[in-house]
Amino acid sequence: MITIDGTVPWPRPVAAEYRERGYWQGISLASRIAGTVDRGPDRIALVDGATRLTYRELWDRAGSIARTLLDLGLVPGDRLVVALPNCWEFVALTLGCLRTGLVPVMALPAHRQHELTHIADIAGARALVIAGTDRGADLRAVAQQVCRAVTGIRAVLIHGDHAPNGEPTEVPEYPLYAAGRAARLADGGFEPGGSDIACMLLSGGTTGLPKLIVRTNDDYLCNIAHCAEVAGFDRDTVYLGALPGSHNFSLACPGILGALTAGGRVVMLPSPAPERALPAVAAEGVTVAAVVPAVAQSWIEFGRAHPEIDLSTLRVLQVGGTRMPDELAARVEPVLGARLQQVFGMAEGLINMTRLDDDPAVIVSTQGRPVCPADEILVVDESGVPVPDGTPGALLTRGPYTPRGYFRAPEHNARAFTADGWYGSGDIVIRRPDGNLVVAGRDKDMINRGGEKISAEEIENFAYRIPGVEAAAAVAMPDPVLGERPCLYLTVAPGHPVGLDEVVAVMNRAGVARFKLPERVILLDAMPVTKIGKIDKKALRDDIRDRL
């Protein structure tokens, strides 16, 4: 077993109970997938454009990438920040890490210097894995900037055609995958166990930059297995991975890893855009796809306009990331022909799903119920007292795949977790008498832009860097497609012209991911305040709704 300072373990009696009841099996994800490889080595495991890999080929490429990392001096327990697009290399790298005990820290391909530096620093990363370019941006330069700020990084691995060109860099660069490299790991190497860390995920980041969520093999396999059972994954499943693979939803609910543990097939796409995704469904016989509501809406509109596209194999459309409007949910099956499965959960653990055989009214109007019998839920009022079913309240949860704390974040853990292990998700929900949850909102200051969570505080901190800004307040601006977009209210000193361009410029200079940029700036003479003198964000949210 590898221990890493800064992780928060489950209490020993609780861990023993989970093992005794079979929720934790004491094995690694890698060993489970290795069994799938042995049972069907010649079955197609992964499709990425023209690349089609059997289980044996994918497993061997995973071994080759893992061999590269070990030869660079990384050892089990070392962390590497992964910011890759959807591609076969992302899957192979993840499997290679799972096989060797290396810990992938799942960043987003949209992250830039600002986010990657923070993530690498908190993780104590030893390596960074990144694409060479993205939409014209030189990500190799971004990687070297991160390395200058985080001195522990010893290597940068580059994915894509933009291979290292031999020019000197402060931290050495290597190709992520080199064809012909030794594919098999030596026997007798480190074998991860159930309690070893499988990966680290990112929190939604409600109080600034994201926190790291440690997922062990035991708890993540529990997460995947119960989601796969509820979603009906088996050897015939063809899963479309079109959302970023580093998201918990698309990685393990049941996602990419769920399809591979079941012996199914994964089809990777760089984007869920309907003009590419729906033809891929038809061409590859996709049976299950996972999207956010904005993508579901675009698929419905495109499907109506192109009835010639054969979507008859699409059995299930999972929708999560943000609350799906009931009227949109009702259009999924009539237009796309797939059963809707609403998914509500968090990278911190708890996953809820509607069941495929639920009454249509339940599927359309709720966000489901916990996938695991050992998931515990409390819905409480502002004083922490449980409320009756049918009453809105804050969601608390704990269970065999809900960790007991963030990585190296003791102060935040003291706020987010109770002494007896309940995690406060920040969601306001209504629990119905049948156990299904309806998401009613958030009690935290977060903007949910098409499933990507944005901290209002983070935007505000950048605004305060601009000369003349006296007060800043970022709020969610309703949007019919993405659900919410970031809007920034400002008060500024006389003689200081500040607008959207100035805010975007300061964030771009800091290397902030583009999806976090505010899309409207509103100047006020004075901010509305509450009775205790705090900026009244409810009044601002009401104001932007009125303006729209």
Side-chain angles (χ1 to χ4, degrees), residues 69 72-75 77-81 116-129 143-157 170-172 174 408:
L69 295 169
L72 291 174
L74 274 68
V75 298
D78 279 350
R79 277 79 68 201
L80 55 153
V81 175
L116 294 175
T117 298
H118 167 80
I119 294 165
D121 183 47
I122 295 297
R126 304 298 302 280
L128 175 61
V129 186
Q144 291 299 322
Q145 291 170 335
V146 174
C147 293
R148 283 193 288 272
V150 184
T151 56
I153 298 177
R154 64 166 55 189
V156 175
L157 289 99
E170 294 184 43
V171 173
Y174 304 91
R408 295 178 177 172

mmCIF file of all heavy atoms in Angstrom, residues 69 72-75 77-81 116-129 143-157 170-172 174 408:
data_model
loop_
_atom_site.group_PDB
_atom_site.id
_atom_site.type_symbol
_atom_site.label_atom_id
_atom_site.label_comp_id
_atom_site.label_asym_id
_atom_site.label_seq_id
_atom_site.Cartn_x
_atom_site.Cartn_y
_atom_site.Cartn_z
ATOM 1 N N LEU A 69 6.908 6.422 -18.625
ATOM 2 C CA LEU A 69 6.847 7.181 -17.379
ATOM 3 C C LEU A 69 7.798 6.612 -16.335
ATOM 4 O O LEU A 69 8.501 7.359 -15.636
ATOM 5 C CB LEU A 69 5.416 7.190 -16.848
ATOM 6 C CG LEU A 69 4.383 7.909 -17.728
ATOM 7 C CD1 LEU A 69 2.974 7.622 -17.240
ATOM 8 C CD2 LEU A 69 4.643 9.401 -17.743
ATOM 9 N N LEU A 72 11.381 7.464 -16.961
ATOM 10 C CA LEU A 72 11.706 8.852 -16.632
ATOM 11 C C LEU A 72 11.962 9.045 -15.142
ATOM 12 O O LEU A 72 12.279 10.151 -14.703
ATOM 13 C CB LEU A 72 10.577 9.778 -17.078
ATOM 14 C CG LEU A 72 10.406 9.940 -18.587
ATOM 15 C CD1 LEU A 72 9.154 10.756 -18.896
ATOM 16 C CD2 LEU A 72 11.631 10.598 -19.201
ATOM 17 N N GLY A 73 11.812 7.971 -14.369
ATOM 18 C CA GLY A 73 12.101 8.043 -12.943
ATOM 19 C C GLY A 73 10.890 8.182 -12.052
ATOM 20 O O GLY A 73 11.039 8.296 -10.827
ATOM 21 N N LEU A 74 9.690 8.192 -12.640
ATOM 22 C CA LEU A 74 8.500 8.241 -11.803
ATOM 23 C C LEU A 74 8.311 6.897 -11.104
ATOM 24 O O LEU A 74 8.653 5.832 -11.658
ATOM 25 C CB LEU A 74 7.264 8.574 -12.634
ATOM 26 C CG LEU A 74 6.981 10.075 -12.847
ATOM 27 C CD1 LEU A 74 8.047 10.716 -13.729
ATOM 28 C CD2 LEU A 74 5.604 10.282 -13.459
ATOM 29 N N VAL A 75 7.762 6.935 -9.905
ATOM 30 C CA VAL A 75 7.553 5.729 -9.113
ATOM 31 C C VAL A 75 6.102 5.693 -8.638
ATOM 32 O O VAL A 75 5.413 6.722 -8.630
ATOM 33 C CB VAL A 75 8.507 5.688 -7.903
ATOM 34 C CG1 VAL A 75 9.966 5.656 -8.363
ATOM 35 C CG2 VAL A 75 8.276 6.868 -6.966
ATOM 36 N N GLY A 77 2.784 6.116 -6.846
ATOM 37 C CA GLY A 77 2.410 7.193 -5.935
ATOM 38 C C GLY A 77 2.712 8.572 -6.464
ATOM 39 O O GLY A 77 2.139 9.563 -5.988
ATOM 40 N N ASP A 78 3.617 8.689 -7.461
ATOM 41 C CA ASP A 78 3.904 9.998 -8.057
ATOM 42 C C ASP A 78 2.691 10.479 -8.845
ATOM 43 O O ASP A 78 1.980 9.691 -9.476
ATOM 44 C CB ASP A 78 5.113 9.916 -8.993
ATOM 45 C CG ASP A 78 6.436 9.979 -8.244
ATOM 46 O OD1 ASP A 78 6.427 10.279 -7.030
ATOM 47 O OD2 ASP A 78 7.482 9.725 -8.870
ATOM 48 N N ARG A 79 2.477 11.782 -8.817
ATOM 49 C CA ARG A 79 1.334 12.371 -9.511
ATOM 50 C C ARG A 79 1.767 13.017 -10.827
ATOM 51 O O ARG A 79 2.844 13.619 -10.911
ATOM 52 C CB ARG A 79 0.667 13.449 -8.637
ATOM 53 C CG ARG A 79 -0.304 12.883 -7.621
ATOM 54 C CD ARG A 79 0.380 12.300 -6.408
ATOM 55 N NE ARG A 79 1.027 13.330 -5.586
ATOM 56 C CZ ARG A 79 2.005 13.084 -4.721
ATOM 57 N NH1 ARG A 79 2.477 11.853 -4.580
ATOM 58 N NH2 ARG A 79 2.517 14.075 -3.996
ATOM 59 N N LEU A 80 0.931 12.905 -11.849
ATOM 60 C CA LEU A 80 1.152 13.597 -13.108
ATOM 61 C C LEU A 80 -0.138 14.275 -13.516
ATOM 62 O O LEU A 80 -1.210 13.678 -13.465
ATOM 63 C CB LEU A 80 1.650 12.653 -14.208
ATOM 64 C CG LEU A 80 0.843 11.409 -14.550
ATOM 65 C CD1 LEU A 80 1.107 11.014 -15.996
ATOM 66 C CD2 LEU A 80 1.236 10.245 -13.646
ATOM 67 N N VAL A 81 -0.046 15.551 -13.868
ATOM 68 C CA VAL A 81 -1.221 16.317 -14.283
ATOM 69 C C VAL A 81 -1.500 16.009 -15.751
ATOM 70 O O VAL A 81 -0.613 16.134 -16.603
ATOM 71 C CB VAL A 81 -1.000 17.822 -14.071
ATOM 72 C CG1 VAL A 81 -2.180 18.617 -14.629
ATOM 73 C CG2 VAL A 81 -0.818 18.122 -12.590
ATOM 74 N N LEU A 116 -3.432 25.076 -14.409
ATOM 75 C CA LEU A 116 -2.478 23.970 -14.358
ATOM 76 C C LEU A 116 -1.408 24.192 -13.311
ATOM 77 O O LEU A 116 -0.969 23.239 -12.646
ATOM 78 C CB LEU A 116 -1.844 23.768 -15.740
ATOM 79 C CG LEU A 116 -2.792 23.303 -16.853
ATOM 80 C CD1 LEU A 116 -2.062 23.265 -18.188
ATOM 81 C CD2 LEU A 116 -3.387 21.939 -16.522
ATOM 82 N N THR A 117 -0.976 25.434 -13.130
ATOM 83 C CA THR A 117 0.030 25.719 -12.103
ATOM 84 C C THR A 117 -0.519 25.399 -10.720
ATOM 85 O O THR A 117 0.152 24.759 -9.893
ATOM 86 C CB THR A 117 0.468 27.189 -12.182
ATOM 87 O OG1 THR A 117 1.062 27.431 -13.455
ATOM 88 C CG2 THR A 117 1.477 27.521 -11.093
ATOM 89 N N HIS A 118 -1.733 25.832 -10.450
ATOM 90 C CA HIS A 118 -2.349 25.550 -9.149
ATOM 91 C C HIS A 118 -2.501 24.044 -8.930
ATOM 92 O O HIS A 118 -2.154 23.520 -7.857
ATOM 93 C CB HIS A 118 -3.713 26.229 -9.084
ATOM 94 C CG HIS A 118 -4.568 25.765 -7.951
ATOM 95 N ND1 HIS A 118 -4.410 26.212 -6.660
ATOM 96 C CD2 HIS A 118 -5.592 24.873 -7.922
ATOM 97 C CE1 HIS A 118 -5.287 25.621 -5.882
ATOM 98 N NE2 HIS A 118 -6.020 24.811 -6.617
ATOM 99 N N ILE A 119 -3.023 23.345 -9.937
ATOM 100 C CA ILE A 119 -3.265 21.908 -9.793
ATOM 101 C C ILE A 119 -1.956 21.165 -9.576
ATOM 102 O O ILE A 119 -1.849 20.300 -8.693
ATOM 103 C CB ILE A 119 -4.005 21.377 -11.032
ATOM 104 C CG1 ILE A 119 -5.409 21.993 -11.114
ATOM 105 C CG2 ILE A 119 -4.087 19.852 -11.012
ATOM 106 C CD1 ILE A 119 -6.080 21.817 -12.465
ATOM 107 N N ALA A 120 -0.935 21.480 -10.378
ATOM 108 C CA ALA A 120 0.355 20.798 -10.256
ATOM 109 C C ALA A 120 1.001 21.080 -8.908
ATOM 110 O O ALA A 120 1.621 20.187 -8.301
ATOM 111 C CB ALA A 120 1.283 21.225 -11.389
ATOM 112 N N ASP A 121 0.858 22.293 -8.420
ATOM 113 C CA ASP A 121 1.467 22.657 -7.143
ATOM 114 C C ASP A 121 0.813 21.909 -5.989
ATOM 115 O O ASP A 121 1.499 21.317 -5.149
ATOM 116 C CB ASP A 121 1.353 24.169 -6.945
ATOM 117 C CG ASP A 121 2.018 24.639 -5.672
ATOM 118 O OD1 ASP A 121 3.171 24.229 -5.415
ATOM 119 O OD2 ASP A 121 1.403 25.415 -4.917
ATOM 120 N N ILE A 122 -0.514 21.912 -5.928
ATOM 121 C CA ILE A 122 -1.219 21.213 -4.849
ATOM 122 C C ILE A 122 -0.950 19.716 -4.922
ATOM 123 O O ILE A 122 -0.748 19.050 -3.893
ATOM 124 C CB ILE A 122 -2.734 21.490 -4.933
ATOM 125 C CG1 ILE A 122 -3.024 22.963 -4.674
ATOM 126 C CG2 ILE A 122 -3.492 20.620 -3.942
ATOM 127 C CD1 ILE A 122 -2.643 23.448 -3.294
ATOM 128 N N ALA A 123 -0.910 19.172 -6.121
ATOM 129 C CA ALA A 123 -0.705 17.725 -6.283
ATOM 130 C C ALA A 123 0.720 17.302 -5.979
ATOM 131 O O ALA A 123 0.966 16.119 -5.712
ATOM 132 C CB ALA A 123 -1.074 17.305 -7.701
ATOM 133 N N GLY A 124 1.666 18.245 -6.033
ATOM 134 C CA GLY A 124 3.070 17.845 -5.953
ATOM 135 C C GLY A 124 3.457 17.040 -7.177
ATOM 136 O O GLY A 124 4.147 16.022 -7.087
ATOM 137 N N ALA A 125 3.040 17.514 -8.360
ATOM 138 C CA ALA A 125 3.192 16.739 -9.587
ATOM 139 C C ALA A 125 4.654 16.582 -9.970
ATOM 140 O O ALA A 125 5.470 17.491 -9.793
ATOM 141 C CB ALA A 125 2.425 17.406 -10.723
ATOM 142 N N ARG A 126 4.965 15.425 -10.553
ATOM 143 C CA ARG A 126 6.308 15.153 -11.077
ATOM 144 C C ARG A 126 6.350 15.214 -12.593
ATOM 145 O O ARG A 126 7.437 15.232 -13.179
ATOM 146 C CB ARG A 126 6.780 13.766 -10.618
ATOM 147 C CG ARG A 126 6.763 13.554 -9.117
ATOM 148 C CD ARG A 126 7.687 14.514 -8.383
ATOM 149 N NE ARG A 126 9.062 14.414 -8.832
ATOM 150 C CZ ARG A 126 9.920 13.462 -8.435
ATOM 151 N NH1 ARG A 126 9.520 12.523 -7.596
ATOM 152 N NH2 ARG A 126 11.160 13.463 -8.871
ATOM 153 N N ALA A 127 5.182 15.237 -13.237
ATOM 154 C CA ALA A 127 5.140 15.281 -14.702
ATOM 155 C C ALA A 127 3.858 15.971 -15.139
ATOM 156 O O ALA A 127 2.870 16.021 -14.397
ATOM 157 C CB ALA A 127 5.224 13.880 -15.301
ATOM 158 N N LEU A 128 3.894 16.491 -16.370
ATOM 159 C CA LEU A 128 2.750 17.153 -16.976
ATOM 160 C C LEU A 128 2.535 16.543 -18.356
ATOM 161 O O LEU A 128 3.486 16.415 -19.133
ATOM 162 C CB LEU A 128 3.015 18.658 -17.086
ATOM 163 C CG LEU A 128 1.982 19.524 -17.814
ATOM 164 C CD1 LEU A 128 0.630 19.460 -17.116
ATOM 165 C CD2 LEU A 128 2.472 20.970 -17.882
ATOM 166 N N VAL A 129 1.297 16.155 -18.647
ATOM 167 C CA VAL A 129 0.949 15.563 -19.940
ATOM 168 C C VAL A 129 -0.034 16.500 -20.620
ATOM 169 O O VAL A 129 -1.096 16.810 -20.066
ATOM 170 C CB VAL A 129 0.330 14.166 -19.777
ATOM 171 C CG1 VAL A 129 0.119 13.522 -21.138
ATOM 172 C CG2 VAL A 129 1.198 13.281 -18.890
ATOM 173 N N ALA A 143 3.135 24.734 -20.928
ATOM 174 C CA ALA A 143 3.718 23.712 -20.063
ATOM 175 C C ALA A 143 5.020 24.188 -19.424
ATOM 176 O O ALA A 143 5.267 23.960 -18.231
ATOM 177 C CB ALA A 143 3.961 22.431 -20.868
ATOM 178 N N GLN A 144 5.866 24.853 -20.191
ATOM 179 C CA GLN A 144 7.135 25.330 -19.635
ATOM 180 C C GLN A 144 6.902 26.434 -18.598
ATOM 181 O O GLN A 144 7.633 26.519 -17.607
ATOM 182 C CB GLN A 144 8.053 25.812 -20.756
ATOM 183 C CG GLN A 144 8.570 24.700 -21.661
ATOM 184 C CD GLN A 144 9.411 23.667 -20.913
ATOM 185 O OE1 GLN A 144 10.183 24.006 -20.020
ATOM 186 N NE2 GLN A 144 9.261 22.399 -21.297
ATOM 187 N N GLN A 145 5.876 27.259 -18.797
ATOM 188 C CA GLN A 145 5.530 28.254 -17.789
ATOM 189 C C GLN A 145 5.104 27.589 -16.485
ATOM 190 O O GLN A 145 5.469 28.028 -15.386
ATOM 191 C CB GLN A 145 4.415 29.165 -18.312
ATOM 192 C CG GLN A 145 4.848 30.084 -19.444
ATOM 193 C CD GLN A 145 3.664 30.781 -20.096
ATOM 194 O OE1 GLN A 145 2.541 30.294 -20.062
ATOM 195 N NE2 GLN A 145 3.921 31.939 -20.689
ATOM 196 N N VAL A 146 4.326 26.517 -16.604
ATOM 197 C CA VAL A 146 3.914 25.775 -15.409
ATOM 198 C C VAL A 146 5.137 25.175 -14.716
ATOM 199 O O VAL A 146 5.258 25.229 -13.486
ATOM 200 C CB VAL A 146 2.898 24.675 -15.789
ATOM 201 C CG1 VAL A 146 2.576 23.796 -14.581
ATOM 202 C CG2 VAL A 146 1.623 25.288 -16.359
ATOM 203 N N CYS A 147 6.040 24.625 -15.503
ATOM 204 C CA CYS A 147 7.234 23.999 -14.921
ATOM 205 C C CYS A 147 8.114 25.007 -14.186
ATOM 206 O O CYS A 147 8.736 24.671 -13.174
ATOM 207 C CB CYS A 147 8.043 23.298 -16.014
ATOM 208 S SG CYS A 147 7.217 21.869 -16.746
ATOM 209 N N ARG A 148 8.168 26.221 -14.684
ATOM 210 C CA ARG A 148 8.961 27.243 -13.994
ATOM 211 C C ARG A 148 8.360 27.578 -12.631
ATOM 212 O O ARG A 148 9.080 27.924 -11.688
ATOM 213 C CB ARG A 148 9.063 28.497 -14.852
ATOM 214 C CG ARG A 148 10.073 28.373 -15.993
ATOM 215 C CD ARG A 148 10.374 29.718 -16.629
ATOM 216 N NE ARG A 148 9.257 30.218 -17.418
ATOM 217 C CZ ARG A 148 9.081 29.930 -18.698
ATOM 218 N NH1 ARG A 148 9.930 29.126 -19.338
ATOM 219 N NH2 ARG A 148 8.050 30.428 -19.360
ATOM 220 N N ALA A 149 7.038 27.470 -12.527
ATOM 221 C CA ALA A 149 6.368 27.802 -11.268
ATOM 222 C C ALA A 149 6.320 26.624 -10.304
ATOM 223 O O ALA A 149 6.240 26.825 -9.090
ATOM 224 C CB ALA A 149 4.949 28.291 -11.558
ATOM 225 N N VAL A 150 6.365 25.406 -10.829
ATOM 226 C CA VAL A 150 6.267 24.198 -9.990
ATOM 227 C C VAL A 150 7.550 23.405 -10.198
ATOM 228 O O VAL A 150 7.674 22.636 -11.154
ATOM 229 C CB VAL A 150 5.025 23.360 -10.364
ATOM 230 C CG1 VAL A 150 4.885 22.165 -9.428
ATOM 231 C CG2 VAL A 150 3.762 24.218 -10.317
ATOM 232 N N THR A 151 8.481 23.581 -9.305
ATOM 233 C CA THR A 151 9.836 23.087 -9.547
ATOM 234 C C THR A 151 9.957 21.569 -9.471
ATOM 235 O O THR A 151 10.967 21.022 -9.906
ATOM 236 C CB THR A 151 10.807 23.724 -8.546
ATOM 237 O OG1 THR A 151 10.348 23.459 -7.206
ATOM 238 C CG2 THR A 151 10.882 25.234 -8.754
ATOM 239 N N GLY A 152 8.969 20.888 -8.930
ATOM 240 C CA GLY A 152 9.082 19.435 -8.810
ATOM 241 C C GLY A 152 8.827 18.680 -10.095
ATOM 242 O O GLY A 152 9.102 17.474 -10.177
ATOM 243 N N ILE A 153 8.309 19.351 -11.127
ATOM 244 C CA ILE A 153 8.008 18.663 -12.392
ATOM 245 C C ILE A 153 9.323 18.335 -13.102
ATOM 246 O O ILE A 153 10.135 19.213 -13.349
ATOM 247 C CB ILE A 153 7.116 19.537 -13.284
ATOM 248 C CG1 ILE A 153 5.778 19.794 -12.598
ATOM 249 C CG2 ILE A 153 6.893 18.862 -14.639
ATOM 250 C CD1 ILE A 153 4.847 20.712 -13.368
ATOM 251 N N ARG A 154 9.503 17.075 -13.437
ATOM 252 C CA ARG A 154 10.753 16.649 -14.081
ATOM 253 C C ARG A 154 10.613 16.324 -15.552
ATOM 254 O O ARG A 154 11.620 16.130 -16.241
ATOM 255 C CB ARG A 154 11.336 15.434 -13.356
ATOM 256 C CG ARG A 154 10.481 14.173 -13.407
ATOM 257 C CD ARG A 154 11.275 12.951 -12.962
ATOM 258 N NE ARG A 154 11.855 13.147 -11.637
ATOM 259 C CZ ARG A 154 12.727 12.301 -11.088
ATOM 260 N NH1 ARG A 154 13.116 11.229 -11.762
ATOM 261 N NH2 ARG A 154 13.202 12.517 -9.885
ATOM 262 N N ALA A 155 9.367 16.263 -16.056
ATOM 263 C CA ALA A 155 9.192 15.914 -17.471
ATOM 264 C C ALA A 155 7.852 16.417 -17.969
ATOM 265 O O ALA A 155 6.868 16.465 -17.221
ATOM 266 C CB ALA A 155 9.289 14.402 -17.672
ATOM 267 N N VAL A 156 7.830 16.792 -19.252
ATOM 268 C CA VAL A 156 6.601 17.146 -19.949
ATOM 269 C C VAL A 156 6.413 16.145 -21.081
ATOM 270 O O VAL A 156 7.335 15.933 -21.884
ATOM 271 C CB VAL A 156 6.659 18.576 -20.514
ATOM 272 C CG1 VAL A 156 5.417 18.876 -21.353
ATOM 273 C CG2 VAL A 156 6.813 19.595 -19.392
ATOM 274 N N LEU A 157 5.257 15.526 -21.141
ATOM 275 C CA LEU A 157 4.959 14.582 -22.222
ATOM 276 C C LEU A 157 3.951 15.224 -23.157
ATOM 277 O O LEU A 157 2.921 15.742 -22.725
ATOM 278 C CB LEU A 157 4.425 13.264 -21.658
ATOM 279 C CG LEU A 157 5.517 12.453 -20.946
ATOM 280 C CD1 LEU A 157 5.431 12.666 -19.449
ATOM 281 C CD2 LEU A 157 5.425 10.981 -21.292
ATOM 282 N N GLU A 170 13.524 24.203 -20.478
ATOM 283 C CA GLU A 170 13.944 24.121 -19.075
ATOM 284 C C GLU A 170 13.648 22.753 -18.478
ATOM 285 O O GLU A 170 14.417 22.225 -17.691
ATOM 286 C CB GLU A 170 13.259 25.231 -18.272
ATOM 287 C CG GLU A 170 13.696 26.633 -18.680
ATOM 288 C CD GLU A 170 13.062 27.687 -17.807
ATOM 289 O OE1 GLU A 170 13.000 27.493 -16.585
ATOM 290 O OE2 GLU A 170 12.628 28.711 -18.354
ATOM 291 N N VAL A 171 12.500 22.186 -18.835
ATOM 292 C CA VAL A 171 12.139 20.840 -18.405
ATOM 293 C C VAL A 171 12.036 19.978 -19.654
ATOM 294 O O VAL A 171 11.387 20.366 -20.627
ATOM 295 C CB VAL A 171 10.816 20.836 -17.624
ATOM 296 C CG1 VAL A 171 10.359 19.415 -17.328
ATOM 297 C CG2 VAL A 171 10.957 21.621 -16.332
ATOM 298 N N PRO A 172 12.673 18.813 -19.678
ATOM 299 C CA PRO A 172 12.688 17.999 -20.907
ATOM 300 C C PRO A 172 11.289 17.621 -21.373
ATOM 301 O O PRO A 172 10.396 17.367 -20.569
ATOM 302 C CB PRO A 172 13.485 16.749 -20.490
ATOM 303 C CG PRO A 172 14.266 17.161 -19.298
ATOM 304 C CD PRO A 172 13.462 18.198 -18.595
ATOM 305 N N TYR A 174 9.023 15.006 -23.963
ATOM 306 C CA TYR A 174 9.073 13.684 -24.579
ATOM 307 C C TYR A 174 7.745 13.428 -25.279
ATOM 308 O O TYR A 174 6.707 13.937 -24.854
ATOM 309 C CB TYR A 174 9.294 12.594 -23.511
ATOM 310 C CG TYR A 174 10.521 12.791 -22.670
ATOM 311 C CD1 TYR A 174 10.448 13.508 -21.477
ATOM 312 C CD2 TYR A 174 11.759 12.284 -23.061
ATOM 313 C CE1 TYR A 174 11.577 13.706 -20.692
ATOM 314 C CE2 TYR A 174 12.886 12.462 -22.277
ATOM 315 C CZ TYR A 174 12.790 13.180 -21.100
ATOM 316 O OH TYR A 174 13.905 13.369 -20.318
ATOM 317 N N ARG A 408 -4.873 17.621 0.765
ATOM 318 C CA ARG A 408 -4.088 18.752 1.267
ATOM 319 C C ARG A 408 -4.922 20.030 1.374
ATOM 320 O O ARG A 408 -4.512 21.102 0.940
ATOM 321 C CB ARG A 408 -2.854 18.987 0.374
ATOM 322 C CG ARG A 408 -1.866 17.825 0.431
ATOM 323 C CD ARG A 408 -0.677 18.026 -0.488
ATOM 324 N NE ARG A 408 0.271 16.906 -0.335
ATOM 325 C CZ ARG A 408 1.329 16.709 -1.110
ATOM 326 N NH1 ARG A 408 1.595 17.562 -2.085
ATOM 327 N NH2 ARG A 408 2.123 15.677 -0.906
#
